[in-house]
Amino acid sequence: MSEQKTLSIIKPDATARNITGSINARFEQAGLRIIAQKRISISKEQAEKFYEIHQDKAFYDSLCEYMSSGPIVVQVLLGNDAVAKNREIMGATNPANAAIGTIRRDFGESIEHNAVHGSDSEENAATEIAFFFSGIELVG
Ligand code: UDP
Ligand code: MG
C-alpha cells in the first residue's frame, strides 16, 4: 500500500442538507485524513472545465448546472491507497446501486445528486487537486 492523495467534493445536494460533518466523519473513520478543505461556489464555466472529460455525455450540461447551483466543499484526502479507498467508501455512482454503508447509499439522493465526487485515478487526482488547490494549502 502506498500513501496517496485524492480529490473529494461534497456536492451541492449535501451542503444544502447540512451533512458535511457526517460525510467527513466517514472519511476519518476509513483512515483518510482531510489535509485541505474549503467551501466555495463555482461558476457553470468552471464546472464545465472540471468535468470536461464528460463533455460528450448526455448528463454533462445538467451536471455542470447542478455543480454550480450551490456551495460545494472541495477537499484533499490523504491515506494508504486513498484513491481506491475513497471510491470504495463513496459507493457506486447511482445511490440505488451503491453498497450498504457507503456514503452515496446513505446520503445520495439520485444518480446526479449523489453527495460526493472522488478522483478515479492517481493521475486524475493530481490534476483535480491542482484545479482547486495550491501546494501551500495542503497541510498533512
Ligand atoms: N452523472 C449523472 N448521470 C449519469 C452518470 C453520472 O448525472 O448517468 C453525474 C453524477 O453526479 C456523477 C458525475 O456525473 O457523480 C460524474 O460521473 P462519473 O461517471 O464520473 O461518476 P463518478 O466517478 O462520480 O462515480
Ligand atoms: Mg468520475
Side-chain angles (χ1 to χ4, degrees), residues 25-37:
R26 300 293 182 94
F27 300 136
E28 293 181 346
Q29 284 159 9
L32 296 170
R33 184 172 293 267
I34 302 164
I35 63 163
Q37 175 166 253

Side-chain angles (χ1 to χ4, degrees), residues 62-135:
S62 177
L63 172 63
C64 295
E65 191 72 45
Y66 156 63
M67 289 299 288
S68 57
S69 69
I72 60 174
V73 177
V74 293
Q75 43 196 192
V76 179
L77 308 180
L78 176 75
N80 285 325
D81 290 328
V83 172
K85 169 62 73 178
N86 187 39
R87 297 288 303 190
E88 180 189 324
I89 65 171
M90 285 165 58
T93 306
N94 187 345
N97 300 331
I100 289 171
T102 60
I103 294 169
R104 283 168 162 171
R105 175 69 172 249
D106 291 345
F107 299 118
E109 294 182 314
S110 68
I111 192 167
E112 179 176 76
H113 295 198
N114 58 1
V116 284
H117 165 87
S119 307
D120 63 5
S121 70
E122 195 165 21
E123 186 188 355
N124 286 340
T127 306
E128 292 180 359
I129 290 167
F131 188 90
F132 289 110
F133 294 97
S134 63

Side-chain angles (χ1 to χ4, degrees), residues 22-68:
S22 300
I23 292 173
N24 279 348
R26 300 293 182 94
F27 300 136
E28 293 181 346
Q29 284 159 9
L32 296 170
R33 184 172 293 267
I34 302 164
I35 63 163
Q37 175 166 253
K38 54 192 174 189
R39 183 177 175 104
I40 60 174
S41 289
I42 59 173
S43 66
K44 188 169 183 194
E45 291 69 29
Q46 288 169 321
E48 287 168 353
K49 179 79 183 136
F50 180 76
Y51 279 115
E52 67 181 357
I53 191 171
H54 291 310
Q55 60 189 346
D56 297 330
K57 308 269 175 55
F59 60 79
Y60 178 67
D61 187 66
S62 177
L63 172 63
C64 295
E65 191 72 45
Y66 156 63
M67 289 299 288
S68 57

